[in-house]
Amino acid sequence: MSPRSLVQASIAALALASALPAAAQFAKPEDAIKYRQSALSVMAAHFGRVGAMVNGRVPFDAAMAQQNAEIATMMSSLPWQGFGAGTEGGKAKPEIWKESAKFKELSDDMNKKMVALNAAAKTGNLDNIKTAFGAVGGSCKTCHDAYRNQ
Amino acid sequence: MSPRSLVQASIAALALASALPAAAQFAKPEDAIKYRQSALSVMAAHFGRVGAMVNGRVPFDAAMAQQNAEIATMMSSLPWQGFGAGTEGGKAKPEIWKESAKFKELSDDMNKKMVALNAAAKTGNLDNIKTAFGAVGGSCKTCHDAYRNQ
């Protein structure tokens, strides 16, 4: 997939997320919780594989970095539809549902930075990837600090 | 994403899955188990939304069917990399690791049928979608009957 088609896929997924109320998407709040945790977990696995190269734990392999960044980017558009009204629970702090504009801003920020990581991975340049990876990591941390129980 | 780019994405993900030994992909067997369960769960959520239209539980919406089939198709290429050597556990029967050629055949079959569902969803014709959905469901069932503990 090109970065453009991934952006399009992200837009499509976000449109999907906002087009239906949570009740229509998930039969029970637990289903939404399981969904968002699963989507974040798959994203984290692929993001983490890029991180292993960034941190020198495994040798840099440009093709692997690209493939994993691509999957992480695709995944990054999905979790948010699992945070609909009435789906409080799991590790998510209740503030998410009180500060939905701020939560959306942070999730959009992460999406954008992940798309940038995907573009960086396509350059095949480890320094570019390191910078973009750090930006995504910072975005994850900001949101987790504010909205995730440890 | 076009069906072609999804097929390419599937091929890329499968190449990724086979290019690295499981040990290099997941630090611990539990990580692989969590990964495959999460990927299957996200796939099932989107496949299930198509199913809700196929079964008449929610009104047919061609755009929703398309978007969900697209995400399910993308997801359908991911779980298999979580079944590497030494990752027995969860609901997976140990036969998976003894009959890896058969397991691969069944997972490939599901991938192919999901790509066909994605193509059917793009036609916007509910009858096409029903037929293709049923084929995927049959493939899920065959594999679960053989390889998943209840």
Side-chain angles (χ1 to χ4, degrees):
Chain A
M1 282 176 284
S2 67
R4 180 175 297 275
S5 69
L6 272 166
V7 173
Q8 287 166 343
S10 295
I11 291 167
L14 290 170
L16 173 68
S18 56
L20 273 181
Q25 291 183 40
F26 298 102
K28 296 172 300 215
E30 307 88 89
D31 295 343
I33 294 169
K34 185 178 178 189
Y35 177 87
R36 67 199 188 210
Q37 290 180 341
S38 296
L40 287 164
S41 173
V42 172
M43 181 184 77
H46 292 282
F47 181 64
R49 289 184 200 162
V50 180
M53 295 182 225
V54 162
N55 297 320
R57 289 198 306 279
V58 305
F60 178 57
D61 177 319
M64 285 289 150
Q66 254 187 54
Q67 289 171 333
N68 282 296
E70 197 151 277
I71 299 170
T73 303
M74 158 68 200
M75 295 308 301
S76 74
S77 65
L78 299 181
W80 322 115
Q81 62 191 276
F83 288 93
T87 65
E88 287 87 343
K91 286 185 176 178
K93 289 189 181 170
E95 282 77 6
I96 289 175
W97 289 268
K98 293 174 192 151
E99 302 168 7
S100 54
K102 190 182 162 201
F103 182 69
K104 183 173 186 323
E105 191 185 301
L106 293 182
S107 61
D108 287 351
D109 180 68
M110 193 276 272
N111 275 136
K112 258 186 271 174
K113 287 176 175 162
M114 195 69 99
V115 169
L117 172 62
N118 193 41
K122 289 192 191 311
T123 68
N125 178 302
L126 184 57
D127 286 334
N128 291 347
I129 297 171
K130 281 183 180 173
T131 303
F133 180 88
V136 177
S139 185
C140 294
K141 186 179 183 316
T142 301
C143 197
H144 287 168
D145 286 351
Y147 293 123
R148 185 178 69 165
N149 287 313
Q150 295 312 309
Chain B
M1 282 178 286
S2 67
R4 180 174 296 274
S5 68
L6 272 166
V7 173
Q8 286 165 342
S10 296
I11 292 167
L14 291 170
L16 173 68
S18 56
L20 275 180
Q25 289 184 41
F26 298 102
K28 296 173 302 217
E30 307 90 90
D31 295 344
I33 294 169
K34 185 178 179 189
Y35 177 86
R36 67 200 188 210
Q37 289 180 341
S38 296
L40 286 163
S41 173
V42 172
M43 182 184 77
H46 292 281
F47 181 64
R49 290 185 199 162
V50 180
M53 295 183 226
V54 162
N55 297 320
R57 287 198 308 278
V58 305
F60 178 56
D61 177 320
M64 286 289 150
Q66 254 188 54
Q67 289 170 334
N68 282 296
E70 197 151 276
I71 298 170
T73 304
M74 159 67 201
M75 294 309 302
S76 74
S77 64
L78 299 181
W80 322 115
Q81 62 192 277
F83 288 93
T87 65
E88 288 86 345
K91 286 184 175 178
K93 289 190 182 171
E95 282 76 8
I96 289 175
W97 289 268
K98 291 173 195 152
E99 301 168 8
S100 53
K102 190 180 162 202
F103 182 69
K104 183 173 185 322
E105 192 185 302
L106 292 182
S107 60
D108 287 350
D109 181 67
M110 194 276 274
N111 275 135
K112 256 186 271 174
K113 287 177 176 162
M114 194 68 98
V115 169
L117 171 61
N118 192 42
K122 289 192 191 309
T123 68
N125 179 304
L126 184 56
D127 285 334
N128 291 348
I129 296 171
K130 280 182 181 174
T131 303
F133 180 89
V136 177
S139 184
C140 294
K141 186 178 182 318
T142 302
C143 197
H144 287 168
D145 287 351
Y147 293 123
R148 185 178 70 166
N149 288 314
Q150 294 312 306

Coordinates of all heavy atoms in Angstrom, one line a residue, chain B residues 65-118:
Chain B
A65 N -20.7 -2.1 4.5 CA -20.3 -3.5 4.1 C -18.9 -3.4 3.5 O -18.1 -4.2 3.9 CB -21.3 -4.1 3.2
Q66 N -18.7 -2.5 2.6 CA -17.4 -2.4 1.9 C -16.3 -2.1 2.9 O -15.3 -2.7 2.9 CB -17.5 -1.2 1.0 CG -17.6 -1.6 -0.5 CD -17.5 -0.4 -1.4 OE1 -16.5 0.4 -1.3 NE2 -18.4 -0.3 -2.3
Q67 N -16.6 -1.1 3.8 CA -15.5 -0.7 4.7 C -15.1 -1.8 5.6 O -14.0 -2.1 5.9 CB -15.9 0.6 5.5 CG -16.0 1.8 4.6 CD -16.6 3.0 5.3 OE1 -17.4 2.8 6.2 NE2 -16.2 4.2 4.8
N68 N -16.2 -2.5 6.1 CA -15.9 -3.6 7.1 C -15.2 -4.8 6.4 O -14.3 -5.4 7.0 CB -17.2 -4.0 7.8 CG -17.5 -3.0 8.9 OD1 -16.7 -2.8 9.9 ND2 -18.6 -2.2 8.8
A69 N -15.7 -5.1 5.2 CA -15.0 -6.2 4.5 C -13.6 -5.9 4.2 O -12.7 -6.7 4.2 CB -15.8 -6.5 3.2
E70 N -13.3 -4.6 3.9 CA -11.9 -4.2 3.6 C -11.0 -4.4 4.8 O -9.9 -4.9 4.7 CB -12.0 -2.7 3.2 CG -10.7 -2.3 2.4 CD -11.1 -1.2 1.4 OE1 -11.5 -1.5 0.3 OE2 -10.9 0.0 1.8
I71 N -11.5 -3.9 5.9 CA -10.7 -4.0 7.2 C -10.5 -5.5 7.5 O -9.4 -6.0 7.9 CB -11.3 -3.2 8.3 CG1 -11.3 -1.7 7.9 CG2 -10.5 -3.4 9.6 CD1 -12.1 -0.8 8.9
A72 N -11.6 -6.3 7.4 CA -11.5 -7.7 7.7 C -10.5 -8.4 6.8 O -9.8 -9.3 7.3 CB -12.9 -8.4 7.6
T73 N -10.5 -8.0 5.6 CA -9.5 -8.6 4.6 C -8.1 -8.3 5.0 O -7.2 -9.2 5.0 CB -9.9 -8.2 3.2 OG1 -11.2 -8.5 2.9 CG2 -9.0 -8.8 2.2
M74 N -7.9 -7.0 5.3 CA -6.5 -6.6 5.7 C -6.1 -7.4 7.0 O -5.0 -8.0 7.1 CB -6.6 -5.1 6.0 CG -5.5 -4.6 7.0 SD -3.8 -4.7 6.3 CE -2.8 -4.6 7.8
M75 N -7.1 -7.6 7.9 CA -6.8 -8.3 9.2 C -6.5 -9.8 8.9 O -5.8 -10.4 9.7 CB -7.9 -8.2 10.2 CG -8.2 -6.8 10.7 SD -6.8 -5.9 11.4 CE -6.2 -7.0 12.7
S76 N -7.1 -10.3 7.9 CA -7.1 -11.8 7.7 C -5.7 -12.3 7.3 O -5.4 -13.5 7.4 CB -8.1 -12.2 6.6 OG -7.6 -11.8 5.3
S77 N -4.8 -11.4 7.0 CA -3.4 -11.8 6.7 C -2.5 -11.8 7.9 O -1.4 -12.4 7.8 CB -2.8 -10.9 5.6 OG -2.7 -9.6 6.1
L78 N -3.0 -11.3 9.0 CA -2.1 -11.1 10.1 C -1.9 -12.2 11.1 O -0.8 -12.5 11.6 CB -2.5 -9.8 10.9 CG -2.4 -8.5 10.1 CD1 -2.8 -7.3 11.0 CD2 -1.0 -8.2 9.5
P79 N -3.0 -12.9 11.5 CA -2.9 -13.8 12.7 C -1.9 -14.9 12.5 O -1.3 -15.3 13.5 CB -4.3 -14.4 12.8 CG -5.2 -13.5 12.1 CD -4.4 -12.9 11.0
W80 N -1.6 -15.3 11.3 CA -0.8 -16.5 11.1 C 0.6 -16.4 11.6 O 1.2 -17.4 12.0 CB -0.9 -16.9 9.6 CG -2.3 -16.7 9.2 CD1 -2.7 -15.8 8.2 CD2 -3.5 -17.3 9.7 NE1 -4.1 -15.8 8.1 CE2 -4.6 -16.6 9.0 CE3 -3.8 -18.2 10.7 CZ2 -5.9 -17.0 9.3 CZ3 -5.1 -18.5 10.9 CH2 -6.2 -17.9 10.2
Q81 N 1.2 -15.2 11.6 CA 2.5 -15.0 12.0 C 2.6 -15.2 13.6 O 3.7 -15.4 14.1 CB 3.0 -13.6 11.7 CG 2.2 -12.5 12.3 CD 2.6 -11.2 11.7 OE1 3.5 -10.5 12.1 NE2 1.8 -10.7 10.7
G82 N 1.5 -15.3 14.2 CA 1.4 -15.6 15.7 C 1.4 -17.0 16.0 O 1.2 -17.4 17.2
F83 N 1.5 -17.9 15.0 CA 1.4 -19.4 15.2 C 2.8 -20.0 14.9 O 2.8 -21.1 14.5 CB 0.4 -20.0 14.3 CG -1.1 -19.7 14.7 CD1 -1.8 -18.7 14.2 CD2 -1.7 -20.5 15.7 CE1 -3.1 -18.4 14.5 CE2 -3.0 -20.3 16.0 CZ -3.7 -19.2 15.5
G84 N 3.9 -19.3 15.2 CA 5.2 -19.8 14.9 C 5.6 -20.9 15.8 O 4.9 -21.2 16.8
A85 N 6.7 -21.6 15.5 CA 7.2 -22.7 16.3 C 7.4 -22.2 17.8 O 7.8 -21.1 18.1 CB 8.6 -23.1 15.8
G86 N 6.9 -23.1 18.7 CA 7.1 -22.8 20.1 C 6.1 -21.9 20.7 O 6.3 -21.5 21.9
T87 N 5.0 -21.7 20.0 CA 4.0 -20.7 20.5 C 2.7 -21.5 20.8 O 1.6 -20.8 20.8 CB 3.7 -19.6 19.6 OG1 3.1 -20.1 18.4 CG2 5.0 -18.8 19.2
E88 N 2.8 -22.7 21.1 CA 1.6 -23.5 21.5 C 0.9 -22.8 22.7 O 1.6 -22.3 23.6 CB 1.9 -24.9 21.9 CG 2.3 -25.8 20.7 CD 3.8 -25.7 20.3 OE1 4.5 -24.8 20.8 OE2 4.3 -26.6 19.6
G89 N -0.4 -22.9 22.8 CA -1.2 -22.4 23.9 C -2.4 -21.7 23.5 O -2.8 -21.7 22.4
G90 N -3.1 -21.1 24.5 CA -4.4 -20.4 24.3 C -5.4 -21.5 23.9 O -5.4 -22.6 24.5
K91 N -6.3 -21.1 23.0 CA -7.3 -22.0 22.5 C -6.8 -22.9 21.4 O -7.6 -23.8 20.9 CB -8.5 -21.3 22.0 CG -9.4 -20.7 23.2 CD -10.6 -20.0 22.5 CE -11.6 -19.5 23.6 NZ -12.7 -18.9 23.0
A92 N -5.6 -22.7 20.9 CA -5.1 -23.4 19.8 C -4.7 -24.9 20.1 O -4.0 -25.1 21.1 CB -3.8 -22.7 19.3
K93 N -5.2 -25.8 19.4 CA -4.9 -27.2 19.6 C -3.5 -27.5 19.2 O -3.0 -26.9 18.2 CB -5.8 -28.1 18.8 CG -7.3 -28.1 19.4 CD -8.1 -29.2 18.7 CE -9.5 -29.2 19.2 NZ -10.4 -30.1 18.5
P94 N -2.8 -28.4 19.9 CA -1.4 -28.7 19.5 C -1.2 -29.2 18.1 O -0.1 -29.2 17.6 CB -0.9 -29.6 20.6 CG -2.2 -30.1 21.4 CD -3.2 -29.0 21.1
E95 N -2.3 -29.8 17.6 CA -2.3 -30.3 16.2 C -1.8 -29.3 15.2 O -1.2 -29.6 14.2 CB -3.6 -30.9 15.8 CG -4.0 -32.2 16.4 CD -4.4 -32.1 17.8 OE1 -4.6 -31.0 18.4 OE2 -4.6 -33.2 18.4
I96 N -2.0 -28.0 15.5 CA -1.6 -27.0 14.5 C -0.1 -27.1 14.2 O 0.3 -27.0 13.1 CB -1.9 -25.6 15.1 CG1 -3.4 -25.3 15.1 CG2 -1.1 -24.5 14.4 CD1 -3.8 -24.0 15.8
W97 N 0.7 -27.4 15.3 CA 2.1 -27.5 15.1 C 2.6 -28.8 14.6 O 3.7 -29.0 14.2 CB 2.8 -27.1 16.4 CG 2.7 -25.6 16.7 CD1 3.5 -24.6 16.3 CD2 1.6 -25.0 17.3 NE1 3.0 -23.4 16.7 CE2 1.8 -23.6 17.3 CE3 0.4 -25.4 17.9 CZ2 0.9 -22.6 17.8 CZ3 -0.5 -24.5 18.4 CH2 -0.2 -23.1 18.4
K98 N 1.7 -29.8 14.6 CA 2.0 -31.1 14.0 C 1.6 -31.2 12.6 O 2.0 -32.1 11.8 CB 1.3 -32.2 14.9 CG 1.9 -32.3 16.3 CD 1.1 -33.3 17.1 CE 1.4 -33.2 18.6 NZ 0.3 -33.6 19.4
E99 N 0.6 -30.4 12.2 CA 0.0 -30.5 10.8 C 0.1 -29.1 10.2 O -0.8 -28.5 9.7 CB -1.4 -30.9 10.9 CG -1.6 -32.2 11.6 CD -3.1 -32.5 12.0 OE1 -4.0 -31.7 11.6 OE2 -3.4 -33.5 12.7
S100 N 1.4 -28.6 10.2 CA 1.5 -27.2 9.8 C 1.1 -27.0 8.3 O 0.6 -25.9 7.9 CB 2.9 -26.7 10.1 OG 3.9 -27.5 9.5
A101 N 1.3 -28.0 7.5 CA 1.0 -27.8 6.0 C -0.6 -27.7 5.9 O -1.1 -26.8 5.2 CB 1.5 -28.9 5.2
K102 N -1.3 -28.5 6.6 CA -2.7 -28.5 6.6 C -3.3 -27.1 7.2 O -4.2 -26.5 6.6 CB -3.3 -29.7 7.3 CG -4.9 -29.8 7.0 CD -5.5 -30.9 7.7 CE -7.0 -30.7 7.7 NZ -7.7 -31.5 8.8
F103 N -2.7 -26.7 8.3 CA -3.1 -25.5 8.9 C -2.8 -24.3 7.9 O -3.7 -23.4 7.8 CB -2.3 -25.3 10.2 CG -2.7 -24.0 11.0 CD1 -3.9 -23.9 11.6 CD2 -1.8 -23.0 11.1 CE1 -4.3 -22.8 12.3 CE2 -2.2 -21.8 11.8 CZ -3.4 -21.7 12.4
K104 N -1.7 -24.3 7.3 CA -1.4 -23.2 6.3 C -2.4 -23.3 5.2 O -2.9 -22.2 4.7 CB 0.0 -23.4 5.8 CG 0.4 -22.2 4.9 CD 1.8 -22.2 4.4 CE 2.1 -20.9 3.6 NZ 1.1 -20.5 2.7
E105 N -2.7 -24.4 4.7 CA -3.7 -24.6 3.6 C -5.1 -24.0 4.0 O -5.7 -23.2 3.3 CB -3.9 -26.1 3.3 CG -4.6 -26.4 2.1 CD -4.8 -27.9 2.0 OE1 -3.8 -28.7 2.0 OE2 -6.0 -28.4 1.9
L106 N -5.5 -24.3 5.3 CA -6.8 -23.7 5.7 C -6.7 -22.2 5.9 O -7.7 -21.5 5.6 CB -7.2 -24.4 7.0 CG -7.5 -25.9 6.9 CD1 -8.0 -26.4 8.3 CD2 -8.7 -26.1 5.9
S107 N -5.6 -21.7 6.4 CA -5.5 -20.3 6.6 C -5.4 -19.5 5.3 O -6.0 -18.5 5.1 CB -4.3 -19.9 7.5 OG -3.1 -20.3 7.0
D108 N -4.7 -20.1 4.3 CA -4.6 -19.6 3.0 C -6.0 -19.5 2.3 O -6.4 -18.6 1.6 CB -3.7 -20.4 2.1 CG -2.2 -20.1 2.4 OD1 -1.9 -19.2 3.2 OD2 -1.4 -20.9 1.8
D109 N -6.8 -20.6 2.6 CA -8.1 -20.7 2.0 C -9.0 -19.6 2.6 O -9.8 -18.9 1.9 CB -8.7 -22.1 2.4 CG -10.2 -22.3 1.9 OD1 -10.3 -22.3 0.6 OD2 -11.1 -22.3 2.7
M110 N -8.9 -19.3 3.9 CA -9.7 -18.2 4.5 C -9.3 -16.9 3.9 O -10.1 -16.1 3.6 CB -9.5 -18.3 6.0 CG -10.5 -17.4 6.8 SD -10.0 -15.7 6.8 CE -9.0 -15.7 8.3
N111 N -8.0 -16.7 3.8 CA -7.5 -15.4 3.2 C -8.1 -15.2 1.8 O -8.6 -14.1 1.5 CB -6.0 -15.5 3.0 CG -5.2 -15.0 4.2 OD1 -4.3 -15.7 4.6 ND2 -5.7 -14.0 4.9
K112 N -8.1 -16.2 1.0 CA -8.6 -16.1 -0.4 C -10.1 -15.8 -0.4 O -10.6 -15.0 -1.2 CB -8.4 -17.5 -1.1 CG -7.2 -17.4 -2.1 CD -7.1 -18.7 -2.9 CE -6.3 -19.7 -2.2 NZ -6.2 -21.0 -2.8
K113 N -10.8 -16.5 0.5 CA -12.3 -16.3 0.5 C -12.6 -14.9 1.1 O -13.6 -14.3 0.7 CB -12.9 -17.4 1.3 CG -12.9 -18.7 0.5 CD -13.5 -19.9 1.2 CE -13.5 -21.1 0.2 NZ -13.6 -22.4 0.9
M114 N -11.7 -14.4 2.0 CA -12.0 -13.1 2.5 C -11.7 -12.0 1.4 O -12.4 -11.0 1.3 CB -11.1 -12.8 3.7 CG -11.4 -11.6 4.5 SD -13.0 -11.8 5.4 CE -12.4 -12.3 7.0
V115 N -10.7 -12.3 0.6 CA -10.4 -11.3 -0.5 C -11.6 -11.4 -1.5 O -12.0 -10.3 -2.0 CB -9.1 -11.7 -1.3 CG1 -8.9 -11.0 -2.6 CG2 -7.9 -11.5 -0.4
A116 N -12.2 -12.5 -1.7 CA -13.4 -12.6 -2.5 C -14.6 -11.9 -1.9 O -15.4 -11.3 -2.6 CB -13.7 -14.1 -2.8
L117 N -14.7 -12.0 -0.6 CA -15.8 -11.2 0.1 C -15.6 -9.7 -0.1 O -16.5 -9.0 -0.3 CB -15.8 -11.6 1.6 CG -16.7 -10.7 2.4 CD1 -18.2 -10.8 2.0 CD2 -16.6 -11.0 3.9
N118 N -14.3 -9.3 0.0 CA -14.0 -7.9 -0.2 C -14.4 -7.4 -1.6 O -15.0 -6.4 -1.8 CB -12.5 -7.7 0.0 CG -12.2 -6.2 0.1 OD1 -12.9 -5.4 0.8 ND2 -11.1 -5.8 -0.5

